[in-house]
Amino acid sequence: NDLNVKNIQRTVLMMGGKVEAVPDVPCGNTVGLVGVDAYLMKQGTISDHEDAHNIRVMKYSVSPVVRVAVEPKMASDLPKLVEGLKKLSKSDPLVICSTEASGEHIIAGCGELHVEICLKDLEEEYAKCEIKKSDPVVTYKETVNEESSIMCLSKSPNKHNRIYCKAAPMGDELADDIENDVITHTQDTKIRYKMLVDKHEWDVNDAKKIWCFGPDTSGPNLLVDTTKAVQYLNEI
């Protein structure tokens, strides 16, 4: 549940380097609200009306594909860096700060200049400590153009079960429908099933057995169980 009922601590106008406290602000002005950063990450809807509907989240035409690994020069500054990364992530809706399994802290931005500005802000404003940065790396992503000719094999931990899978293109129309939230992982399965069969000509059995969307449980990729007469597959 991401609904919070809280008080705004202060209403301020940002005037260059100065912050001017004001009692209220008329419509059409940009205003700073003190205290909301504890509850909002990047974007959200603030209202004093109990039945207000949330404003739809903005979608951007660019993606954070340039990645840089950062670490503090002094190991004792690690808590400062972690706190600084949280502040940086809140301040910029397009930057993504993450931690890899290896423990590396990654900053992803929309270009080298964007990442450079983020690193400068991190070092001087948010973390306030010296950091070491890796060279920018661009993440390349692959797609599927035709059904794969090789069947992939995976075994369960006890080696008693084998799962076979292969990749096939979904079609641009279906991918667009998922990206535009026409088809989602949260909608009623009967509605989704009907759309997949009628509009996208899916097999009636496959449309009922979608395991998940990806990446991040909402992306335009589908993992589908196409097995026949196999029981308890979800428990493997």
Side-chain angles (χ1 to χ4, degrees):
N1 184 10
D2 55 359
L3 173 66
N4 293 285
V5 180
K6 301 291 177 182
N7 292 325
I8 300 293
Q9 293 174 15
R10 279 193 302 146
T11 312
V12 296
L13 286 178
M14 316 293 285
M15 306 290 289
K18 294 187 296 179
V19 176
E20 188 86 25
V22 289
D24 52 49
V25 179
C27 295
N29 291 279
T30 302
V31 64
L33 300 175
V34 178
V36 297
D37 59 319
Y39 312 104
L40 284 185
M41 273 294 285
K42 298 184 186 292
Q43 51 198 336
T45 305
I46 299 174
S47 174
D48 60 357
H49 196 284
E50 282 191 11
D51 299 322
H53 195 281
N54 58 302
I55 298 170
R56 191 169 182 175
V57 173
M58 287 178 66
K59 285 197 172 181
Y60 299 95
S61 58
V62 289
S63 300
V65 292
V66 180
R67 294 157 56 91
V68 171
V70 294
E71 61 177 324
K73 282 190 176 176
M74 304 271 294
S76 57
D77 288 334
L78 183 59
K80 287 185 185 177
L81 176 65
V82 172
E83 197 59 37
L85 287 169
K86 287 179 185 174
K87 291 177 181 175
L88 175 65
S89 184
K90 286 181 183 177
S91 71
D92 192 328
L94 287 175
V95 76
I96 293 178
C97 300
S98 58
T99 305
E100 299 288 288
S102 59
E104 264 190 327
H105 297 287
I106 304 293
I107 296 174
C110 301
E112 284 197 37
L113 179 61
H114 182 218
V115 171
E116 195 177 314
I117 293 167
C118 289
L119 291 171
K120 186 173 185 295
D121 288 346
L122 176 66
E123 197 164 10
E124 296 176 5
E125 294 282 333
Y126 302 125
K128 293 183 178 176
C129 66
E130 291 188 26
I131 56 175
K132 290 193 281 186
K133 317 148 195 142
S134 69
D135 292 330
V137 175
V138 177
T139 308
Y140 290 95
K141 296 185 179 180
E142 298 177 325
T143 187
V144 181
N145 290 322
E146 58 185 43
E147 190 170 319
S148 54
S149 56
I150 301 170
M151 188 72 79
C152 295
L153 166 66
S154 178
K155 293 181 182 178
S156 63
N158 62 9
K159 303 289 189 293
H160 291 174
N161 304 284
R162 295 184 176 193
I163 299 176
Y164 296 89
C165 74
K166 60 180 177 179
M170 287 194 312
D172 293 339
E173 280 189 23
L174 177 53
D176 289 342
D177 278 355
I178 295 171
E179 288 189 329
N180 295 326
D181 294 335
V182 177
I183 294 175
T184 69
H185 68 292
T186 55
Q187 76 186 138
D188 188 277
T189 49
K190 290 179 182 176
I191 296 171
R192 186 172 65 210
Y193 159 79
K194 197 170 187 311
M195 289 179 71
L196 288 171
V197 173
D198 295 346
K199 185 177 177 183
H200 300 287
E201 299 177 352
W202 269 45
D203 180 271
V204 289
N205 294 315
D206 295 347
K208 289 178 181 176
K209 297 198 287 184
I210 294 174
W211 271 4
C212 66
F213 288 65
D216 302 324
T217 71
S218 60
N221 299 289
L222 298 174
L223 181 62
V224 183
D225 172 17
T226 59
T227 57
K228 303 286 189 287
V230 178
Q231 292 183 314
Y232 309 117
L233 192 60
N234 287 339
E235 295 179 13
I236 295 177

